[in-house]
Amino acid sequence: MSRRADQSERLERALDGGPIPHDEETRRMLAAAGALRPGYRRSPARVRATKEAMLRAYEHAQNPLKTRDDAGTDDGLDEPEIHREEMDLPGGGHLVLTDIEAITPERAEKTAARIARILQSSEERDRLS
């Protein structure tokens, strides 16, 4: 038997899970064969799920949903009512409160007082600098 045939046989046995040969040349061939083999296996479940998702996306692109003529009516998503309250601040300022919730007089007064305090402390800091 020739040397090349012997190496080939040893390589085949090693690739089939047999004992690993000790000669350097066959080890290099084994390393090269290992480098050519993918390091991971694709999960059949993930391949199937990906294929199904691609087919669903293709089906959706080919047959888009039909729009209704009455879409957006009575679906509870109407534009909310915007509440607005205008107030004069001490010192000549003007405050406009807007909210989707009702603005009570107490809430408006409390907000106006808070804004007035902020403006007053800001003016005092400006005078000191």
Side-chain angles (χ1 to χ4, degrees):
M1 183 186 291
S2 73
R3 180 176 172 204
R4 188 169 294 267
D6 186 41
Q7 282 179 334
S8 176
E9 219 174 273
R10 282 185 287 176
L11 181 62
E12 286 292 325
R13 276 196 309 262
L15 288 173
D16 288 337
I20 298 174
H22 295 289
D23 66 292
E24 189 62 32
E25 194 171 342
T26 309
R27 280 186 166 177
R28 278 195 224 135
M29 285 191 278
L30 267 175
L36 295 174
R37 185 177 57 208
Y40 63 91
R41 301 194 79 180
R42 296 188 325 176
S43 164
R46 290 188 75 179
V47 170
R48 188 173 41 258
T50 302
K51 182 179 179 182
E52 290 170 1
M54 287 173 25
L55 290 174
R56 279 193 308 271
Y58 177 77
E59 179 69 28
H60 181 71
Q62 295 301 312
N63 303 312
L65 296 175
K66 294 180 179 155
T67 56
R68 297 185 343 244
D69 292 334
D70 65 341
T73 58
D74 297 327
D75 58 1
L77 299 175
D78 296 327
E79 287 292 320
E81 181 183 354
I82 304 293
H83 301 276
R84 179 183 171 105
E85 184 76 30
E86 295 187 27
M87 306 181 70
D88 290 324
L89 293 173
H94 190 72
L95 175 65
V96 178
L97 296 173
T98 56
D99 200 341
I100 58 172
E101 296 179 6
I103 300 171
T104 62
E106 297 84 29
R107 183 173 163 209
E109 289 298 325
K110 187 177 176 182
T111 304
R114 187 177 306 138
I115 298 293
R117 270 193 315 241
I118 291 170
L119 290 174
Q120 184 180 8
S121 67
S122 174
E123 287 175 3
E124 288 174 4
R125 275 190 243 133
D126 287 344
R127 277 189 231 128
L128 293 174
S129 58

